[in-house]
Amino acid sequence: TATSALAGNWTGGYVGAQLGYGFGEFDLTNFNQPGDFDTEGAVGGLLVGYLQDYGDWVAGVEAQLDGTDLTVTTGTTSGSFDSIARIKARGGRDLGNGLLYASAGMAYGDFGGVSGVTKIDLNDPGYVVGVGYDYQLPNNWMVGAEYQYHKFNDFGTAGNDVGFGTLQVRGAYRF
């Protein structure tokens, strides 16, 4: 006999915010001063999504838009991710008031900076994969945490690769 979900119903839309920390590496070969640069900083923004509860399992979609403080600086060259947009599928195990999930989708990064006197502005798609846990609170609220890994190959031009992770806490209102 199949087991049923423990308690909470996850079906419905939600809107909220997230805040956390990002860390990773820029591998910039087509840049004024090429090299591998580590970065870390704050990441935060808004999220909106919809989930469908299938009993033991939950699936849905989510869109996120984050501003970041992920910056690289070397000599006269500096740049940063100004924003990251994501759209992804989510799916996971219904644990009653808890939801343990995995996600995968598309990410879009906006990198801006200055190289000497030349303005750099790179915008390219990549992919994002992640894992997270959300918990239902009374009065239609939920809180959670999520780790996401982002990868942008040939970012802006061939040879520029960017990979970084984010770890964020999140809160949302379910309707």
Side-chain angles (χ1 to χ4, degrees):
T1 308
T3 60
S4 61
L6 298 174
N9 181 357
W10 289 92
T11 296
Y14 57 93
V15 61
Q18 56 194 15
L19 181 63
Y21 179 75
F23 50 92
E25 181 178 272
F26 290 73
D27 178 14
L28 305 176
T29 57
N30 288 316
F31 208 53
N32 252 12
Q33 297 176 7
D36 293 337
F37 308 101
D38 292 334
T39 185
E40 59 184 295
V43 178
L46 303 174
L47 57 93
V48 61
Y50 182 85
L51 294 172
Q52 181 68 44
D53 194 326
Y54 296 100
D56 291 339
W57 301 96
V58 176
V61 296
E62 184 173 280
Q64 301 173 331
L65 178 61
D66 281 339
T68 80
D69 186 30
L70 299 174
T71 302
V72 294
T73 302
T74 178
T76 60
T77 303
S78 68
S80 67
F81 264 92
D82 297 324
S83 62
I84 305 162
R86 306 172 197 90
I87 186 155
K88 59 189 183 172
R90 294 177 58 194
R93 180 80 165 124
D94 184 341
L95 303 172
N97 286 338
L99 174 62
L100 181 62
Y101 65 89
S103 62
M106 184 176 163
Y108 188 82
D110 180 15
F111 179 86
V114 176
S115 178
V117 294
T118 306
K119 174 84 171 126
I120 299 168
D121 192 14
L122 308 174
N123 301 292
D124 265 337
Y127 69 86
V128 61
V129 293
V131 294
Y133 181 80
D134 285 340
Y135 187 81
Q136 293 179 10
L137 297 173
N139 300 317
N140 295 335
W141 290 97
M142 73 178 178
V143 295
E146 182 175 39
Y147 171 79
Q148 297 179 93
Y149 177 76
H150 307 76
K151 184 67 175 178
F152 299 90
N153 292 321
D154 297 328
F155 191 68
T157 185
N160 291 334
D161 297 328
V162 177
F164 62 90
T166 57
L167 182 58
Q168 296 177 291
V169 294
R170 38 193 278 139
Y173 181 76
R174 301 176 58 232
F175 49 91

